[in-house]
C-alpha cells in the first residue's frame, strides 16, 4: 500500500513538473520568437525605407525638385521614427537642411548636389546593418 501511495505521489510530482516545464518553455520560446520576428520586421522595414530614400536621392532632377524634396522629407520622417540612432537622425536632418538651401539658382551646381547625395547614400549603407 505504501508503494502505491509513493508511486502515485511521484507520478503526480512528475506530471506537475512536466506541465510547469512546458509552460515555462512555451512562455520563453514565445518571447524569443516575438523578438526574432520584430527584428526581421525592423530590418525589412529599414531596407524598404532606405531603398526608397536612396531612389529618391538618386532621382533628383532640376525639374520638379519641390515634389522630389517633399518625397525625400516623407521617407526621411518615417526613417527617423523607426530608428534609434541619433547620428543617423542628425545626418538625415542635416541632409534635408542642405537640400533646402539649394534655391533655384544654386541647383545649377549639380556637382555639389551629387557630393551631398553620395555622402548621404554612403551613410545609409553603413546603417542598414543591424
Amino acid at each position: 500500500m505504501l508503494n502505491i501511495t509513493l508511486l502515485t505521489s511521484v507520478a503526480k510530482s512528475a506530471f506537475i513538473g512536466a506541465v510547469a516545464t512546458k509552460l515555462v518553455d512555451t512562455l520563453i520560446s514565445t518571447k524569443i520568437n516575438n523578438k526574432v520576428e520584430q527584428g526581421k520586421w525592423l530590418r525589412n522595414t529599414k531596407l524598404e525605407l532606405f531603398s526608397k530614400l536612396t531612389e529618391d536621392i538618386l532621382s533628383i532632377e532640376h525639374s520638379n525638385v519641390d515634389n522630389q524634396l517633399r518625397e525625400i522629407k516623407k521617407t526621411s520622417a518615417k526613417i527617423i521614427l523607426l530608428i534609434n540612432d541619433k547620428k543617423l537622425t542628425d545626418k538625415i536632418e542635416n541632409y534635408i537642411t542642405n537640400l533646402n538651401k539649394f534655391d533655384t539658382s544654386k541647383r545649377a551646381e549639380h556637382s555639389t548636389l551629387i557630393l551631398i547625395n553620395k555622402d548621404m547614400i554612403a551613410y545609409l549603407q553603413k546603417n542598414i546593418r543591424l
Side-chain angles (χ1 to χ4, degrees), residues 13-76:
S13 296
F15 178 73
I16 292 172
V19 170
T21 302
K22 186 62 176 172
L23 183 62
V24 170
D25 180 48
T26 302
L27 292 175
I28 291 173
S29 64
T30 301
K31 189 156 186 100
I32 291 171
N33 287 339
N34 286 343
K35 191 84 166 166
V36 168
E37 288 299 318
Q38 183 181 17
K40 287 179 184 178
W41 175 85
L42 182 61
R43 175 144 175 80
N44 289 337
T45 305
K46 279 177 65 175
L47 179 62
E48 289 173 19
L49 289 173
F50 282 24
S51 296
K52 170 88 169 82
L53 183 58
T54 302
E55 288 174 20
D56 292 343
I57 289 171
L58 291 175
S59 68
I60 292 179
E61 299 172 1
H62 292 294
S63 62
N64 205 8
V65 174
D66 292 332
N67 286 339
Q68 291 168 326
L69 288 176
R70 197 172 307 120
E71 285 300 314
I72 288 173
K73 288 178 183 179
K74 282 182 190 178
T75 306
S76 297

Side-chain angles (χ1 to χ4, degrees), residues 100-117:
N100 286 331
K101 287 180 183 177
F102 282 100
D103 60 14
T104 308
S105 62
K106 290 183 181 178
R107 287 187 182 134
E109 297 176 18
H110 193 66
S111 60
T112 305
L113 185 59
I114 289 173
L115 289 175
I116 292 170
N117 290 345

Side-chain angles (χ1 to χ4, degrees), residues 76 80 86-100 120:
S76 297
I80 288 171
K86 183 68 174 155
K87 288 182 182 180
L88 181 56
T89 301
D90 291 344
K91 185 75 171 178
I92 291 171
E93 290 172 354
N94 186 35
Y95 175 74
I96 290 175
T97 302
N98 286 334
L99 283 181
N100 286 331
M120 187 64 218

